Amino acid sequence: MITVINLIGTLLYYAINIYIFLIVIWALLSWFPGASESKLGQLINRVVEPFLNYFNFIHIGMIGLGPMVAIIALWFIQYGVVGITNFLINLMI
């Protein structure tokens, strides 16, 4: 049972890492004209934009800080997953 909990926690940890990486790629694609309209750009837009829409209200002038705040939120979620996983494993021991 401990290995199952550890596996689920590890998978969630790495899934969040991949999602953070996709947000960074999405932000970099926004700097290049036409990059968001490519097949890769459209795929990343479909995956990332629903989550980033929660953070669209954060702007300083014309610079949107939504992706940065979203990454920070995902880091907190990631550390929460690690904490819950460790807590559950310690309960089993």
Side-chain angles (χ1 to χ4, degrees), residues 14-35:
Y14 286 120
I16 293 171
N17 266 347
I18 291 169
Y19 202 73
I20 289 171
F21 185 67
L22 287 175
I23 291 173
V24 170
I25 292 172
W26 179 86
L28 290 175
L29 285 177
S30 70
W31 291 354
F32 300 105

Side-chain angles (χ1 to χ4, degrees), residues 54-84:
Y54 292 112
F55 304 100
N56 271 348
F57 62 91
I58 304 169
H59 292 282
I60 295 179
M62 292 187 61
I63 299 172
L65 299 177
M68 253 177 27
V69 175
I71 288 172
I72 292 170
L74 285 173
W75 279 340
F76 281 119
I77 293 169
Q78 193 173 38
Y79 287 118
V81 166
V82 170
I84 291 171

Side-chain angles (χ1 to χ4, degrees), residues 7-19:
L7 176 68
I8 292 171
T10 303
L11 288 175
L12 284 173
Y13 181 85
Y14 286 120
I16 293 171
N17 266 347
I18 291 169
Y19 202 73

